[in-house]
Amino acid sequence: MRWWDIGPVLELEQDLFPEDAWSAGMFWSELAHSRGPRATRHYVVAEDTAGRLVGYAGLAAAGDLADVQTIAAARDQWGTGLGARLLTDLLRAATAFECAEVLLEVRVDNTRAQKLYERFGFEPIGFRRGYYQPGNVDALVMRLSDPAHSVPADGPVQGETHG
């Protein structure tokens, strides 16, 4: 993801997460830590064949621990394998950052995402009550040990993503 992707990312963010969408400032802050030799973030976008931004994802790394910050696919991309491609990219980045574990939070009512994460080997480890505001929705915390060996047996669908 680059600065020129922020506008289209915000449009998709607002469509998918209207109550708790990230702001432009949040994305700018994350991107500020995604380049150079001291980078601690990895952000990627996916485009369809027409060049339309259809997904994005981001990861933060600190020491041997990574955290999936965000992952999203346009509604017309649900069921196409885009989420798996984005998650695979993040797990490759976690491996490059030499992270031994990856954590994430997912809405308790987002069973589609939970199933994707479980397919990759993430396991539930707890809850964060009222994590998603202003809707006061709980988050399920999930953990993946050894991200270098976590791509599911059926593998992700191929497609274009870029950082």
Side-chain angles (χ1 to χ4, degrees):
M1 181 184 299
R2 302 305 273 276
W3 65 266
W4 53 81
D5 295 314
I6 290 178
V9 163
L10 288 173
E11 288 178 27
L12 188 52
E13 176 84 0
Q14 195 65 30
D15 176 54
L16 295 172
F17 313 110
E19 288 187 2
D20 51 6
W22 281 24
S23 67
M26 292 170 77
F27 281 106
W28 278 104
S29 178
E30 289 295 296
L31 288 181
H33 299 284
S34 68
R35 298 278 185 245
R38 295 179 194 222
T40 58
R41 305 291 194 275
H42 174 80
Y43 277 77
V44 62
V45 296
E47 297 175 339
D48 65 12
T49 55
R52 178 179 66 106
L53 190 139
V54 293
Y56 57 91
L59 179 98
D64 65 351
L65 182 64
D67 190 68
V68 173
Q69 299 292 299
T70 187
I71 187 166
R75 294 176 198 280
D76 65 345
Q77 299 296 308
W78 291 0
T80 66
L82 178 57
R85 290 193 305 274
L86 292 167
L87 185 55
T88 296
D89 185 89
L90 294 185
L91 296 178
R92 287 183 180 140
T95 300
F97 281 127
E98 299 181 357
C99 296
E101 289 186 326
V102 179
L103 296 175
L104 60 81
E105 292 89 13
V106 58
R107 290 175 65 108
V108 294
D109 58 359
N110 190 346
T111 55
R112 174 186 293 273
Q114 290 172 34
K115 287 179 183 178
L116 170 66
Y117 302 140
E118 288 169 358
R119 217 177 96 213
F120 276 76
F122 281 85
E123 298 176 334
I125 60 169
F127 293 93
R128 295 187 194 273
R129 302 285 177 212
Y131 183 78
Y132 293 99
Q133 293 297 326
N136 202 37
V137 177
D138 295 344
L140 174 64
V141 181
M142 301 181 82
R143 176 179 54 208
L144 173 68
S145 298
D146 196 11
H149 298 95
S150 62
V151 176
D154 56 345
V157 179
Q158 296 302 308
E160 182 182 355
T161 58
H162 64 275

